[in-house]
Amino acid sequence: MTTTTATSTATTPLLEVDGLSVASDAGSRAVVVDGVSLTVAPGECVGVVGESGSGKSLTVRAVAGLLPEGLRVTGGAVRLDGEDVLALAPRARAALRGRRIALLMQDPFAMLHPQLTCGRQIADGLRGLDGRGRAVRAARRAEVERRLAEVGLDPSVADRHPHELSGGMLQRVATAAALAGDPELLIADEPTTALDTATQAAVLDLLGGLRRSRGMGLILITHDLRVAFSTCDRVHVLYAGTVVEHGPSEELRADPRHPYTAALLASEPSARERRPRLATVPGSVPAPGERGPGCPFADRCAFTVAACRTTPVALGPAGADAAAGARATACLRAAELGRLGPPADGDPAADRPETAREDPAGAAEPAGAAGTDGTDGTDGPGGADDAALVVREVGRRFGTDGGERQALADVSLTVPHGEVTALVGRSGSGKTTLARIAIGLESYDSGTVRTGPVELPRGRRPSTADRRRLAAHAQIVFQDPYASLSPLRTVGATLREALDAARRGGRGGDETVESLLARVGLPERYAGRRPAALSGGERQRVAVARALAARPRLLICDEAVAALDVSVQAQLLNLLDELRRDQGFAVLFITHDLAVVRQIADHVAVLHDGRLVETGPAERVLDAPEHPETRRLLAAVPTPR
């Protein structure tokens, strides 16, 4: 991955945010962003990290004048190239967006109109090419094609609609559309969250090259610490609406001085070593209005003393660059605590005691699973006689406007009972298609599929009777729990429905809503809440509880932790490992994060362009990959500079 060169602190800031505060318009006037300050120089990348609820997105939305209804700026200043943005009239401030300030969001579908071609959406933001006539249309088309080339896309993409593109291509089109007005500042809010490592690296390299060539400032919001420390010149760590630490990315990562920063780093799964258990941050970010008078992190901090709960604390100098003002932390005990566990070899988890390798209980070396041609010579890891899922030479084609597309070709895979098989690959490689076939949500064209006791029919969806048998054996957890949970139903109602369905199939036993919640680490009172009242991690726990209500023998997790904060991700991975060991079910774990694969998987299968190109024990595949595609995916994992 392309690295960056730190921008000189002497450069005049392009953006200055000074003491920005945002509060609710409701009667409580709850403060959601409290005195945030940061600067961005031309050509510089500044990272903003922290858990959900920390105020990352609201801070930059306040800068862009896009706060949600019910929130307003209550203090501070925002200056763009010296101009007071907050003092501008609404129309003048709106004119900044797209021209001087642009936003690139996590979901490109939220930015792109599904009924307009990609070229039209890029053209709408271009300057100086308004009007009609053949010459103007030709100039506009030429400029659109130039912009597509700038983000590494073929000119033909201009005539395609968003649904015809892969996730990585969509994000590139969204980037081209965001940059069409040649903004001075780009705010990228989680732009790589759902992307595989290779596509993520390409998008980050693209943004890095564009900001350097254009002299454009970049604010990168991310919960992925590896992305932040491999891409940004400086990083600001937010917690409960306030900056608790900031500094140059290399020093902040190597020498965290705030316990929250250190805790986030400790929660990051290691791409190099499997640990018996991931470190976690107990509790959750306090809701607006629930902060105490002292340090907002006090209730979750391992180093809290009485004064931490009562004494207001502000950012103060810290670290080797304290005298120059480049480092600051908001910890009452920073000088006393000193270094809080820095990694030493480029891996955020490398030097911690937890990194001692521990093989999962009962995880045997799979027989004959070292092939790089998509087969293992026998029946795949663990053999097919007693397996939760057996896929044999499966093919699937989809019709498109341009003809047919081969989604899967001669794929053979076995998921042994009681073990975790990770399925990895780039966007569009066929991972989700294979998962949907295995669970009966998608048909297949050739080969055979057996999910537990159910032989799935070729060329059509399973019958009603087979779907009931499938539900008794296999369940699936999707990436977005909010989309898979009814927003109108309480958690208790959702889980009761799942239990009732399981009992009708003779599987529910004496399980209750309360016991299901306890199994996934949630208190009984959550039964009365709706999904909107839960955090992302809590919603995903409910989704897992609903899946476990059927007591499945196979759990399919399709990017189930991709959009979660690193601390919540660690909690959920630990939970899945505990439940799997306790109940003995198998897991097909689809992910683009190879550090997560290292932590959870017994076996790995790599898909590329619909073909299985490498399979084997997780340790062997990750430490000594044989196929070029596996090596490319591993090489693209973000690493600190």
PDB file of all heavy atoms in Angstrom, residues 285-322:
ATOM      1  N   VAL A 285     -19.975   3.186  25.101  1.00  0.00           N
ATOM      2  CA  VAL A 285     -19.847   4.646  25.146  1.00  0.00           C
ATOM      3  C   VAL A 285     -21.090   5.243  25.818  1.00  0.00           C
ATOM      4  O   VAL A 285     -22.215   4.879  25.459  1.00  0.00           O
ATOM      5  CB  VAL A 285     -19.702   5.213  23.718  1.00  0.00           C
ATOM      6  CG1 VAL A 285     -19.574   6.734  23.758  1.00  0.00           C
ATOM      7  CG2 VAL A 285     -18.501   4.595  23.017  1.00  0.00           C
ATOM      8  N   PRO A 286     -20.918   6.146  26.804  1.00  0.00           N
ATOM      9  CA  PRO A 286     -22.095   6.748  27.446  1.00  0.00           C
ATOM     10  C   PRO A 286     -22.905   7.570  26.455  1.00  0.00           C
ATOM     11  O   PRO A 286     -22.362   8.232  25.575  1.00  0.00           O
ATOM     12  CB  PRO A 286     -21.491   7.620  28.554  1.00  0.00           C
ATOM     13  CG  PRO A 286     -20.091   7.888  28.116  1.00  0.00           C
ATOM     14  CD  PRO A 286     -19.664   6.667  27.362  1.00  0.00           C
ATOM     15  N   ALA A 287     -24.226   7.503  26.602  1.00  0.00           N
ATOM     16  CA  ALA A 287     -25.110   8.268  25.727  1.00  0.00           C
ATOM     17  C   ALA A 287     -24.992   9.754  26.035  1.00  0.00           C
ATOM     18  O   ALA A 287     -24.588  10.145  27.142  1.00  0.00           O
ATOM     19  CB  ALA A 287     -26.555   7.804  25.924  1.00  0.00           C
ATOM     20  N   PRO A 288     -25.298  10.633  25.068  1.00  0.00           N
ATOM     21  CA  PRO A 288     -25.274  12.073  25.333  1.00  0.00           C
ATOM     22  C   PRO A 288     -26.119  12.416  26.560  1.00  0.00           C
ATOM     23  O   PRO A 288     -27.229  11.927  26.729  1.00  0.00           O
ATOM     24  CB  PRO A 288     -25.884  12.670  24.054  1.00  0.00           C
ATOM     25  CG  PRO A 288     -25.587  11.665  22.991  1.00  0.00           C
ATOM     26  CD  PRO A 288     -25.671  10.331  23.667  1.00  0.00           C
ATOM     27  N   GLY A 289     -25.546  13.233  27.420  1.00  0.00           N
ATOM     28  CA  GLY A 289     -26.245  13.622  28.636  1.00  0.00           C
ATOM     29  C   GLY A 289     -25.970  12.726  29.820  1.00  0.00           C
ATOM     30  O   GLY A 289     -26.375  13.043  30.943  1.00  0.00           O
ATOM     31  N   GLU A 290     -25.261  11.597  29.587  1.00  0.00           N
ATOM     32  CA  GLU A 290     -24.979  10.667  30.677  1.00  0.00           C
ATOM     33  C   GLU A 290     -23.528  10.716  31.136  1.00  0.00           C
ATOM     34  O   GLU A 290     -23.117   9.926  31.978  1.00  0.00           O
ATOM     35  CB  GLU A 290     -25.337   9.240  30.244  1.00  0.00           C
ATOM     36  CG  GLU A 290     -26.824   9.041  29.985  1.00  0.00           C
ATOM     37  CD  GLU A 290     -27.161   7.611  29.599  1.00  0.00           C
ATOM     38  OE1 GLU A 290     -26.229   6.774  29.546  1.00  0.00           O
ATOM     39  OE2 GLU A 290     -28.335   7.327  29.351  1.00  0.00           O
ATOM     40  N   ARG A 291     -22.747  11.615  30.582  1.00  0.00           N
ATOM     41  CA  ARG A 291     -21.353  11.750  31.010  1.00  0.00           C
ATOM     42  C   ARG A 291     -21.278  12.324  32.414  1.00  0.00           C
ATOM     43  O   ARG A 291     -22.031  13.229  32.777  1.00  0.00           O
ATOM     44  CB  ARG A 291     -20.592  12.674  30.060  1.00  0.00           C
ATOM     45  CG  ARG A 291     -20.154  12.038  28.772  1.00  0.00           C
ATOM     46  CD  ARG A 291     -19.340  13.008  27.958  1.00  0.00           C
ATOM     47  NE  ARG A 291     -18.282  13.635  28.746  1.00  0.00           N
ATOM     48  CZ  ARG A 291     -17.433  14.552  28.281  1.00  0.00           C
ATOM     49  NH1 ARG A 291     -17.541  14.943  27.026  1.00  0.00           N
ATOM     50  NH2 ARG A 291     -16.508  15.056  29.050  1.00  0.00           N
ATOM     51  N   GLY A 292     -20.345  11.817  33.193  1.00  0.00           N
ATOM     52  CA  GLY A 292     -20.109  12.363  34.517  1.00  0.00           C
ATOM     53  C   GLY A 292     -19.238  13.605  34.441  1.00  0.00           C
ATOM     54  O   GLY A 292     -18.799  14.020  33.366  1.00  0.00           O
ATOM     55  N   PRO A 293     -18.925  14.208  35.589  1.00  0.00           N
ATOM     56  CA  PRO A 293     -18.129  15.444  35.583  1.00  0.00           C
ATOM     57  C   PRO A 293     -16.653  15.223  35.294  1.00  0.00           C
ATOM     58  O   PRO A 293     -15.943  16.150  34.924  1.00  0.00           O
ATOM     59  CB  PRO A 293     -18.332  15.988  37.002  1.00  0.00           C
ATOM     60  CG  PRO A 293     -18.626  14.766  37.827  1.00  0.00           C
ATOM     61  CD  PRO A 293     -19.402  13.856  36.940  1.00  0.00           C
ATOM     62  N   GLY A 294     -16.173  13.997  35.461  1.00  0.00           N
ATOM     63  CA  GLY A 294     -14.760  13.718  35.248  1.00  0.00           C
ATOM     64  C   GLY A 294     -14.474  13.175  33.865  1.00  0.00           C
ATOM     65  O   GLY A 294     -15.101  13.563  32.877  1.00  0.00           O
ATOM     66  N   CYS A 295     -13.529  12.243  33.792  1.00  0.00           N
ATOM     67  CA  CYS A 295     -13.158  11.627  32.512  1.00  0.00           C
ATOM     68  C   CYS A 295     -14.326  10.795  31.986  1.00  0.00           C
ATOM     69  O   CYS A 295     -14.874   9.950  32.712  1.00  0.00           O
ATOM     70  CB  CYS A 295     -11.925  10.747  32.701  1.00  0.00           C
ATOM     71  SG  CYS A 295     -11.470   9.788  31.226  1.00  0.00           S
ATOM     72  N   PRO A 296     -14.720  10.969  30.731  1.00  0.00           N
ATOM     73  CA  PRO A 296     -15.857  10.197  30.197  1.00  0.00           C
ATOM     74  C   PRO A 296     -15.575   8.705  30.103  1.00  0.00           C
ATOM     75  O   PRO A 296     -16.508   7.903  30.052  1.00  0.00           O
ATOM     76  CB  PRO A 296     -16.081  10.816  28.810  1.00  0.00           C
ATOM     77  CG  PRO A 296     -14.781  11.438  28.449  1.00  0.00           C
ATOM     78  CD  PRO A 296     -14.171  11.908  29.731  1.00  0.00           C
ATOM     79  N   PHE A 297     -14.289   8.320  30.107  1.00  0.00           N
ATOM     80  CA  PHE A 297     -13.911   6.914  29.984  1.00  0.00           C
ATOM     81  C   PHE A 297     -13.752   6.236  31.345  1.00  0.00           C
ATOM     82  O   PHE A 297     -13.458   5.048  31.413  1.00  0.00           O
ATOM     83  CB  PHE A 297     -12.611   6.810  29.181  1.00  0.00           C
ATOM     84  CG  PHE A 297     -12.206   5.413  28.804  1.00  0.00           C
ATOM     85  CD1 PHE A 297     -13.045   4.609  28.034  1.00  0.00           C
ATOM     86  CD2 PHE A 297     -10.985   4.890  29.194  1.00  0.00           C
ATOM     87  CE1 PHE A 297     -12.676   3.313  27.683  1.00  0.00           C
ATOM     88  CE2 PHE A 297     -10.602   3.604  28.836  1.00  0.00           C
ATOM     89  CZ  PHE A 297     -11.453   2.815  28.078  1.00  0.00           C
ATOM     90  N   ALA A 298     -13.977   6.966  32.419  1.00  0.00           N
ATOM     91  CA  ALA A 298     -13.662   6.468  33.763  1.00  0.00           C
ATOM     92  C   ALA A 298     -14.361   5.151  34.083  1.00  0.00           C
ATOM     93  O   ALA A 298     -13.767   4.259  34.710  1.00  0.00           O
ATOM     94  CB  ALA A 298     -14.016   7.526  34.802  1.00  0.00           C
ATOM     95  N   ASP A 299     -15.618   4.989  33.686  1.00  0.00           N
ATOM     96  CA  ASP A 299     -16.373   3.791  34.050  1.00  0.00           C
ATOM     97  C   ASP A 299     -15.872   2.533  33.339  1.00  0.00           C
ATOM     98  O   ASP A 299     -16.206   1.417  33.745  1.00  0.00           O
ATOM     99  CB  ASP A 299     -17.861   3.979  33.736  1.00  0.00           C
ATOM    100  CG  ASP A 299     -18.530   4.963  34.680  1.00  0.00           C
ATOM    101  OD1 ASP A 299     -17.964   5.211  35.765  1.00  0.00           O
ATOM    102  OD2 ASP A 299     -19.606   5.489  34.333  1.00  0.00           O
ATOM    103  N   ARG A 300     -15.083   2.690  32.278  1.00  0.00           N
ATOM    104  CA  ARG A 300     -14.612   1.528  31.512  1.00  0.00           C
ATOM    105  C   ARG A 300     -13.104   1.339  31.620  1.00  0.00           C
ATOM    106  O   ARG A 300     -12.556   0.400  31.049  1.00  0.00           O
ATOM    107  CB  ARG A 300     -14.989   1.687  30.036  1.00  0.00           C
ATOM    108  CG  ARG A 300     -16.462   1.915  29.800  1.00  0.00           C
ATOM    109  CD  ARG A 300     -16.743   2.212  28.322  1.00  0.00           C
ATOM    110  NE  ARG A 300     -16.528   1.072  27.462  1.00  0.00           N
ATOM    111  CZ  ARG A 300     -16.501   1.114  26.142  1.00  0.00           C
ATOM    112  NH1 ARG A 300     -16.661   2.292  25.525  1.00  0.00           N
ATOM    113  NH2 ARG A 300     -16.319   0.037  25.416  1.00  0.00           N
ATOM    114  N   CYS A 301     -12.439   2.221  32.331  1.00  0.00           N
ATOM    115  CA  CYS A 301     -10.973   2.261  32.340  1.00  0.00           C
ATOM    116  C   CYS A 301     -10.399   1.374  33.443  1.00  0.00           C
ATOM    117  O   CYS A 301     -10.898   1.368  34.575  1.00  0.00           O
ATOM    118  CB  CYS A 301     -10.507   3.703  32.533  1.00  0.00           C
ATOM    119  SG  CYS A 301      -8.707   3.891  32.528  1.00  0.00           S
ATOM    120  N   ALA A 302      -9.331   0.646  33.110  1.00  0.00           N
ATOM    121  CA  ALA A 302      -8.672  -0.216  34.090  1.00  0.00           C
ATOM    122  C   ALA A 302      -7.802   0.560  35.063  1.00  0.00           C
ATOM    123  O   ALA A 302      -7.356   0.006  36.068  1.00  0.00           O
ATOM    124  CB  ALA A 302      -7.818  -1.258  33.352  1.00  0.00           C
ATOM    125  N   PHE A 303      -7.557   1.856  34.791  1.00  0.00           N
ATOM    126  CA  PHE A 303      -6.644   2.637  35.619  1.00  0.00           C
ATOM    127  C   PHE A 303      -7.364   3.726  36.421  1.00  0.00           C
ATOM    128  O   PHE A 303      -6.736   4.634  36.946  1.00  0.00           O
ATOM    129  CB  PHE A 303      -5.574   3.297  34.739  1.00  0.00           C
ATOM    130  CG  PHE A 303      -4.807   2.318  33.895  1.00  0.00           C
ATOM    131  CD1 PHE A 303      -5.102   2.153  32.547  1.00  0.00           C
ATOM    132  CD2 PHE A 303      -3.804   1.542  34.440  1.00  0.00           C
ATOM    133  CE1 PHE A 303      -4.405   1.252  31.766  1.00  0.00           C
ATOM    134  CE2 PHE A 303      -3.103   0.634  33.671  1.00  0.00           C
ATOM    135  CZ  PHE A 303      -3.399   0.486  32.335  1.00  0.00           C
ATOM    136  N   THR A 304      -8.689   3.639  36.499  1.00  0.00           N
ATOM    137  CA  THR A 304      -9.471   4.691  37.148  1.00  0.00           C
ATOM    138  C   THR A 304      -9.203   4.757  38.644  1.00  0.00           C
ATOM    139  O   THR A 304      -9.162   3.730  39.334  1.00  0.00           O
ATOM    140  CB  THR A 304     -10.977   4.448  36.910  1.00  0.00           C
ATOM    141  OG1 THR A 304     -11.233   4.543  35.511  1.00  0.00           O
ATOM    142  CG2 THR A 304     -11.827   5.481  37.640  1.00  0.00           C
ATOM    143  N   VAL A 305      -9.037   5.986  39.141  1.00  0.00           N
ATOM    144  CA  VAL A 305      -9.005   6.272  40.573  1.00  0.00           C
ATOM    145  C   VAL A 305     -10.151   7.245  40.856  1.00  0.00           C
ATOM    146  O   VAL A 305     -10.816   7.738  39.939  1.00  0.00           O
ATOM    147  CB  VAL A 305      -7.644   6.867  41.002  1.00  0.00           C
ATOM    148  CG1 VAL A 305      -6.527   5.850  40.796  1.00  0.00           C
ATOM    149  CG2 VAL A 305      -7.345   8.147  40.236  1.00  0.00           C
ATOM    150  N   ALA A 306     -10.389   7.524  42.129  1.00  0.00           N
ATOM    151  CA  ALA A 306     -11.543   8.342  42.509  1.00  0.00           C
ATOM    152  C   ALA A 306     -11.540   9.690  41.808  1.00  0.00           C
ATOM    153  O   ALA A 306     -12.584  10.182  41.362  1.00  0.00           O
ATOM    154  CB  ALA A 306     -11.571   8.515  44.024  1.00  0.00           C
ATOM    155  N   ALA A 307     -10.365  10.320  41.701  1.00  0.00           N
ATOM    156  CA  ALA A 307     -10.284  11.655  41.099  1.00  0.00           C
ATOM    157  C   ALA A 307     -10.698  11.650  39.638  1.00  0.00           C
ATOM    158  O   ALA A 307     -11.182  12.658  39.120  1.00  0.00           O
ATOM    159  CB  ALA A 307      -8.872  12.204  41.244  1.00  0.00           C
ATOM    160  N   CYS A 308     -10.535  10.505  38.947  1.00  0.00           N
ATOM    161  CA  CYS A 308     -10.884  10.430  37.528  1.00  0.00           C
ATOM    162  C   CYS A 308     -12.381  10.656  37.309  1.00  0.00           C
ATOM    163  O   CYS A 308     -12.788  11.158  36.263  1.00  0.00           O
ATOM    164  CB  CYS A 308     -10.493   9.076  36.948  1.00  0.00           C
ATOM    165  SG  CYS A 308      -8.714   8.735  36.961  1.00  0.00           S
ATOM    166  N   ARG A 309     -13.205  10.302  38.295  1.00  0.00           N
ATOM    167  CA  ARG A 309     -14.656  10.408  38.139  1.00  0.00           C
ATOM    168  C   ARG A 309     -15.181  11.801  38.450  1.00  0.00           C
ATOM    169  O   ARG A 309     -16.308  12.134  38.089  1.00  0.00           O
ATOM    170  CB  ARG A 309     -15.352   9.389  39.046  1.00  0.00           C
ATOM    171  CG  ARG A 309     -14.963   7.954  38.761  1.00  0.00           C
ATOM    172  CD  ARG A 309     -15.758   6.996  39.643  1.00  0.00           C
ATOM    173  NE  ARG A 309     -15.272   5.633  39.523  1.00  0.00           N
ATOM    174  CZ  ARG A 309     -15.623   4.780  38.553  1.00  0.00           C
ATOM    175  NH1 ARG A 309     -16.470   5.173  37.629  1.00  0.00           N
ATOM    176  NH2 ARG A 309     -15.130   3.564  38.525  1.00  0.00           N
ATOM    177  N   THR A 310     -14.396  12.606  39.112  1.00  0.00           N
ATOM    178  CA  THR A 310     -14.898  13.906  39.568  1.00  0.00           C
ATOM    179  C   THR A 310     -14.142  15.104  39.020  1.00  0.00           C
ATOM    180  O   THR A 310     -14.675  16.216  38.993  1.00  0.00           O
ATOM    181  CB  THR A 310     -14.842  13.967  41.102  1.00  0.00           C
ATOM    182  OG1 THR A 310     -13.486  13.745  41.545  1.00  0.00           O
ATOM    183  CG2 THR A 310     -15.748  12.903  41.716  1.00  0.00           C
ATOM    184  N   THR A 311     -12.912  14.905  38.563  1.00  0.00           N
ATOM    185  CA  THR A 311     -12.077  16.022  38.128  1.00  0.00           C
ATOM    186  C   THR A 311     -12.167  16.228  36.620  1.00  0.00           C
ATOM    187  O   THR A 311     -11.834  15.317  35.854  1.00  0.00           O
ATOM    188  CB  THR A 311     -10.602  15.788  38.496  1.00  0.00           C
ATOM    189  OG1 THR A 311     -10.505  15.511  39.891  1.00  0.00           O
ATOM    190  CG2 THR A 311      -9.762  17.010  38.142  1.00  0.00           C
ATOM    191  N   PRO A 312     -12.639  17.389  36.159  1.00  0.00           N
ATOM    192  CA  PRO A 312     -12.645  17.653  34.715  1.00  0.00           C
ATOM    193  C   PRO A 312     -11.228  17.567  34.161  1.00  0.00           C
ATOM    194  O   PRO A 312     -10.266  18.007  34.798  1.00  0.00           O
ATOM    195  CB  PRO A 312     -13.204  19.077  34.607  1.00  0.00           C
ATOM    196  CG  PRO A 312     -13.942  19.295  35.887  1.00  0.00           C
ATOM    197  CD  PRO A 312     -13.194  18.514  36.933  1.00  0.00           C
ATOM    198  N   VAL A 313     -11.094  17.006  32.986  1.00  0.00           N
ATOM    199  CA  VAL A 313      -9.773  16.836  32.389  1.00  0.00           C
ATOM    200  C   VAL A 313      -9.793  17.368  30.962  1.00  0.00           C
ATOM    201  O   VAL A 313     -10.755  17.158  30.223  1.00  0.00           O
ATOM    202  CB  VAL A 313      -9.335  15.347  32.423  1.00  0.00           C
ATOM    203  CG1 VAL A 313     -10.332  14.472  31.696  1.00  0.00           C
ATOM    204  CG2 VAL A 313      -7.941  15.157  31.840  1.00  0.00           C
ATOM    205  N   ALA A 314      -8.758  18.093  30.590  1.00  0.00           N
ATOM    206  CA  ALA A 314      -8.631  18.660  29.243  1.00  0.00           C
ATOM    207  C   ALA A 314      -7.390  18.096  28.575  1.00  0.00           C
ATOM    208  O   ALA A 314      -6.517  17.504  29.223  1.00  0.00           O
ATOM    209  CB  ALA A 314      -8.566  20.180  29.318  1.00  0.00           C
ATOM    210  N   LEU A 315      -7.301  18.277  27.258  1.00  0.00           N
ATOM    211  CA  LEU A 315      -6.113  17.835  26.530  1.00  0.00           C
ATOM    212  C   LEU A 315      -4.879  18.548  27.044  1.00  0.00           C
ATOM    213  O   LEU A 315      -4.873  19.761  27.252  1.00  0.00           O
ATOM    214  CB  LEU A 315      -6.271  18.109  25.035  1.00  0.00           C
ATOM    215  CG  LEU A 315      -7.153  17.146  24.235  1.00  0.00           C
ATOM    216  CD1 LEU A 315      -7.452  17.723  22.864  1.00  0.00           C
ATOM    217  CD2 LEU A 315      -6.474  15.787  24.094  1.00  0.00           C
ATOM    218  N   GLY A 316      -3.818  17.778  27.248  1.00  0.00           N
ATOM    219  CA  GLY A 316      -2.552  18.349  27.681  1.00  0.00           C
ATOM    220  C   GLY A 316      -1.400  17.679  26.964  1.00  0.00           C
ATOM    221  O   GLY A 316      -1.565  16.603  26.367  1.00  0.00           O
ATOM    222  N   PRO A 317      -0.226  18.284  26.975  1.00  0.00           N
ATOM    223  CA  PRO A 317       0.930  17.723  26.261  1.00  0.00           C
ATOM    224  C   PRO A 317       1.256  16.313  26.737  1.00  0.00           C
ATOM    225  O   PRO A 317       1.122  15.988  27.914  1.00  0.00           O
ATOM    226  CB  PRO A 317       2.063  18.697  26.591  1.00  0.00           C
ATOM    227  CG  PRO A 317       1.378  19.962  27.007  1.00  0.00           C
ATOM    228  CD  PRO A 317       0.111  19.538  27.668  1.00  0.00           C
ATOM    229  N   ALA A 318       1.702  15.474  25.801  1.00  0.00           N
ATOM    230  CA  ALA A 318       2.077  14.105  26.135  1.00  0.00           C
ATOM    231  C   ALA A 318       3.029  13.581  25.088  1.00  0.00           C
ATOM    232  O   ALA A 318       3.021  14.025  23.941  1.00  0.00           O
ATOM    233  CB  ALA A 318       0.849  13.209  26.220  1.00  0.00           C
ATOM    234  N   GLY A 319       3.854  12.607  25.484  1.00  0.00           N
ATOM    235  CA  GLY A 319       4.712  11.933  24.521  1.00  0.00           C
ATOM    236  C   GLY A 319       5.969  12.705  24.189  1.00  0.00           C
ATOM    237  O   GLY A 319       6.254  13.782  24.712  1.00  0.00           O
ATOM    238  N   ALA A 320       6.726  12.148  23.240  1.00  0.00           N
ATOM    239  CA  ALA A 320       8.025  12.714  22.885  1.00  0.00           C
ATOM    240  C   ALA A 320       7.914  14.086  22.250  1.00  0.00           C
ATOM    241  O   ALA A 320       8.821  14.908  22.355  1.00  0.00           O
ATOM    242  CB  ALA A 320       8.751  11.752  21.937  1.00  0.00           C
ATOM    243  N   ASP A 321       6.794  14.364  21.551  1.00  0.00           N
ATOM    244  CA  ASP A 321       6.623  15.641  20.861  1.00  0.00           C
ATOM    245  C   ASP A 321       5.799  16.637  21.672  1.00  0.00           C
ATOM    246  O   ASP A 321       5.242  17.580  21.129  1.00  0.00           O
ATOM    247  CB  ASP A 321       5.939  15.428  19.501  1.00  0.00           C
ATOM    248  CG  ASP A 321       6.848  14.731  18.512  1.00  0.00           C
ATOM    249  OD1 ASP A 321       8.064  14.758  18.739  1.00  0.00           O
ATOM    250  OD2 ASP A 321       6.339  14.163  17.536  1.00  0.00           O
ATOM    251  N   ALA A 322       5.708  16.431  22.982  1.00  0.00           N
ATOM    252  CA  ALA A 322       4.855  17.283  23.804  1.00  0.00           C
ATOM    253  C   ALA A 322       5.264  18.742  23.718  1.00  0.00           C
ATOM    254  O   ALA A 322       4.418  19.640  23.643  1.00  0.00           O
ATOM    255  CB  ALA A 322       4.889  16.811  25.256  1.00  0.00           C
TER     256      ALA A 322
END
